[in-house]
Amino acid sequence: MEGRIAMALERIGKGIEALKASPVEGAGPDAEGMQKDLEEERAAREAAEKAQNAQRQRIVQFKRWVKGLKEEIAQRDREIARLKAVNTELRVTSRALRGANAEGLGNALLINKAMEAELDALNSLRDSDRSELDTIIREIETLVDLRENKEDA
């Protein structure tokens, strides 16, 4: 589209120059019309360039947003892996504690280890929830920024 506009502007400019160089009788109104067409084409070209620049900015913002999402997904994967490991440890410790209790042995070390595993699981869950809330807040901020940019444009 820009190429077509540029070619049209070039043709109009050449036509105006030709008319100025060798004025023809009765060509005055046509020259004015061509000048008007040239100005309209220039305005259309400027509008197309502004729209293209705005589109490029939106693409850059979108790429940043996608990059942020990828980083958040990686962070979530790490949190899930940690949570799985902590829960596995909690299950193993709980089985050992149940076995000790079934035998009538009150093992303080197993009780302490089970409590630590449970606290780790709760802390991991809390961290995961906090991370999820941070993600939601960032997404809301991104949407607000995009809306403000759209309204400004």
Side-chain angles (χ1 to χ4, degrees):
M1 185 171 155
E2 284 184 45
R4 289 176 60 195
I5 291 172
M7 288 173 49
L9 288 173
E10 191 175 317
R11 282 194 314 257
I12 291 171
K14 286 179 182 177
I16 289 173
E17 289 175 16
L19 286 175
K20 286 181 181 177
S22 60
V24 178
E25 207 173 296
D30 289 333
E32 290 175 12
M34 290 178 76
Q35 183 66 33
K36 183 180 175 185
D37 289 345
L38 178 63
E39 290 171 8
E40 289 174 1
E41 290 295 327
R42 283 184 181 153
R45 183 177 182 186
E46 287 176 18
E49 287 175 358
K50 285 181 183 178
Q52 186 179 27
N53 288 338
Q55 186 66 24
R56 285 183 182 142
Q57 288 176 350
R58 285 191 291 272
I59 289 170
V60 168
Q61 287 175 337
F62 182 73
K63 286 181 179 180
R64 284 185 197 142
W65 180 68
V66 168
K67 182 181 178 186
L69 287 178
K70 286 180 180 179
E71 290 170 1
E72 289 175 22
I73 289 170
Q75 176 64 28
R76 295 266 187 230
D77 288 344
R78 288 189 294 272
E79 289 172 4
I80 289 170
R82 182 177 174 346
L83 197 52
K84 285 180 180 179
V86 169
N87 283 335
T88 300
E89 182 183 342
L90 182 58
R91 279 193 295 274
V92 168
T93 305
S94 293
R95 267 191 230 119
L97 185 57
R98 279 194 302 272
N101 283 336
E103 294 177 9
L105 304 171
N107 189 338
L109 182 62
L110 285 176
I111 292 171
N112 190 36
K113 191 171 180 180
M115 293 299 291
E116 285 177 5
E118 189 172 348
L119 284 173
D120 283 345
L122 289 173
N123 284 333
S124 292
L125 186 60
R126 184 200 64 207
D127 291 343
S128 177
D129 288 346
R130 179 63 189 172
S131 178
E132 187 175 352
L133 288 173
D134 289 343
T135 300
I136 291 169
I137 290 169
R138 275 193 298 276
E139 289 305 312
I140 290 171
E141 289 172 347
T142 300
L143 291 173
V144 168
D145 288 344
L146 289 174
R147 183 169 182 119
E148 287 174 354
N149 290 340
K150 188 176 181 181
E151 289 175 358
D152 290 343

